[in-house]
Amino acid sequence: MDMTVRPRRLRGNDTIRRMVRETRMDKASLIYPMFVREGSGIREEIPSMEGQYRYSVDCMGFELERLMDAGVKSVMFFGIPDHKDEVGSGAYDENGIVQRALREARKQFPDLYLITDVCMCEYTSHGHCGLLCGHDVDNDSTLELLAKTALSHVEAGADMVAPSDMMDGRVAAIRRMLDQAGHTGTPIMSYAVKYASAFYGPFREAAGSAPAFGDRKSYQMDFHNSREGIREALLDVEEGADIIMVKPALAYLDVIREVRNVVNTPVAAYSVSGEYAMIKAAAKLGYIEEERIIGEMAVGAYRAGADIYLTYFAKEIAKLMEEGRIG
């Protein structure tokens, strides 16, 4: 055969394949989401997320140490309080569950990078992400409480805050309050492009955050829309977001790419609980090779344009990177 161009020349062995690899990943880009709850002596597995646990503050150190040993140096805390009320007061309580977890993690693991989810849904008795006016979530009255929550997290030791509520103007409100308190160097990672997705089901069980009525479609995005995601991303950059997140990841790779093309900030992708649960269930039935699927999904997010990957598989992906199977 007389062929001048043979793409297979660059696939002949592992050395050349890695040399010409277009998508490169690093452990430093991984963030592990972690659930912390009230109580003591607690390490309880989440039924819909096999291998994931809710930890009391006194028991989370073991898992944090495992993350550090794997090379995963960033964690995002989600709090599960015992007490909930109409105004989500546990979210901004200086002795709230996330605030205590931050102080303990900072004491035990000074080199760990601590990020917090900023939202009201885990703390409100109605399960919505803001204050209610009748059966509607009132956007503007929620902003001050979100900003207070972010400030309380930073004062307890958070390195970064990540608002996930999808209220209009919340990045500006948080940036303003942090700056006024002297925390001008604290970055905000905004869940800017967050869809009203069925992929969140296991998380809502894990965090006890399902809404008591209705749904979140009046503030989370319609999954049919991509141009709206660009608008949300650009608005949050203008308000002071330092990192833009797209959530979920797997079904929204096109959106990750479109956001990457228009913003000049780092882009994060959150591989959510439903993605995790599907892999675990299919692997348990022998339908897929778990490690290969985990790696392929992660590479897909990075290839689409993500710089940062939030995933419950952070330790496993770090291992795949260490072994040279991805990255």
Side-chain angles (χ1 to χ4, degrees), residues 236-299:
D236 282 8
V237 170
E238 185 180 336
E239 291 181 15
D242 302 283
I243 300 170
I244 293 297
M245 185 197 297
V246 177
K247 179 183 179 183
L250 180 61
Y252 300 87
L253 299 179
D254 60 318
V255 180
I256 295 170
R257 168 50 57 191
E258 291 190 34
V259 169
R260 171 69 286 156
N261 288 341
V262 299
V263 301
N264 57 7
T265 67
V267 173
Y270 193 152
S271 181
V272 297
S273 59
E275 299 171 44
Y276 177 90
M278 288 193 304
I279 291 175
K280 283 293 186 182
K284 195 170 186 177
L285 292 170
Y287 294 161
I288 61 170
E289 295 180 55
E290 182 173 329
E291 282 196 342
R292 291 186 64 189
I293 292 286
I294 292 168
E296 194 169 333
M297 283 175 52
V299 170

Side-chain angles (χ1 to χ4, degrees), residues 6 13-14 16 51 84 91 95 108 119 126 135 157-158 199 202 210 218 234 244 259-260 293 302 323:
R6 291 180 179 266
N13 58 49
D14 188 60
I16 187 64
K84 302 186 180 194
N95 291 312
Q108 288 191 44
C119 195
H126 45 75
H135 273 54
F199 281 96
S218 69
L234 292 174
I244 293 297
V259 169
R260 171 69 286 156
I293 292 286
Y302 286 94
E323 295 172 352

Side-chain angles (χ1 to χ4, degrees), residues 34-284:
M34 188 172 187
F35 300 97
V36 289
R37 60 157 299 169
E38 302 280 3
S40 60
I42 296 172
R43 181 182 179 269
E44 57 185 11
E45 190 170 27
I46 299 164
S48 58
M49 297 177 69
E50 180 183 346
Q52 299 302 307
Y53 296 83
R54 305 179 190 94
Y55 298 93
S56 55
V57 171
D58 62 317
C59 290
M60 68 181 185
F62 173 74
E63 183 63 16
L64 294 177
E65 187 168 4
R66 289 180 66 204
L67 288 166
M68 294 282 284
D69 289 345
V72 179
K73 303 295 179 66
S74 301
V75 63
M76 180 184 286
F77 284 134
F78 294 85
I80 306 170
D82 279 345
H83 171 73
K84 302 186 180 194
D85 56 34
E86 287 289 307
V87 296
S89 60
Y92 43 89
D93 184 341
E94 66 177 18
N95 291 312
I97 179 59
V98 166
Q99 289 81 350
R100 297 202 310 276
L102 286 165
R103 287 191 286 268
E104 184 63 23
R106 178 61 64 223
K107 181 171 66 176
Q108 288 191 44
F109 303 96
D111 295 330
L112 196 63
Y113 196 82
L114 304 176
I115 309 167
T116 60
D117 177 78
V118 176
C119 195
M120 309 296 292
C121 61
E122 296 107 310
Y123 303 91
T124 55
S125 52
H126 45 75
H128 278 284
C129 299
L131 299 181
L132 294 183
C133 181
H135 273 54
D136 295 323
V137 175
D138 187 76
N139 190 96
D140 293 8
S141 65
T142 300
L143 299 182
E144 183 180 359
L145 298 187
L146 293 168
K148 283 177 61 177
T149 299
L151 179 59
S152 73
H153 289 177
V154 174
E155 290 180 338
D159 295 296
M160 179 190 292
V161 292
S164 64
D165 54 284
M166 288 298 286
M167 297 298 114
D168 293 339
R170 89 272 206 213
V171 171
I174 291 170
R175 184 75 273 158
R176 185 164 50 249
M177 186 169 285
L178 291 180
D179 288 356
Q180 288 172 352
H183 301 292
T184 56
T186 300
I188 297 172
M189 176 166 61
S190 173
Y191 291 66
V193 190
K194 180 179 178 180
Y195 287 88
S197 172
F199 281 96
Y200 304 150
F203 175 92
R204 291 176 180 172
E205 180 208 355
S209 62
F213 61 87
D215 54 40
R216 297 186 173 128
K217 293 180 180 178
S218 69
Y219 42 102
Q220 295 178 359
M221 287 176 48
D222 183 345
F223 59 78
H224 297 81
N225 298 351
S226 59
R227 291 193 303 271
E228 183 184 10
I230 300 303
R231 183 185 186 203
E232 287 278 11
L234 292 174
L235 278 171
D236 282 8
V237 170
E238 185 180 336
E239 291 181 15
D242 302 283
I243 300 170
I244 293 297
M245 185 197 297
V246 177
K247 179 183 179 183
L250 180 61
Y252 300 87
L253 299 179
D254 60 318
V255 180
I256 295 170
R257 168 50 57 191
E258 291 190 34
V259 169
R260 171 69 286 156
N261 288 341
V262 299
V263 301
N264 57 7
T265 67
V267 173
Y270 193 152
S271 181
V272 297
S273 59
E275 299 171 44
Y276 177 90
M278 288 193 304
I279 291 175
K280 283 293 186 182
K284 195 170 186 177

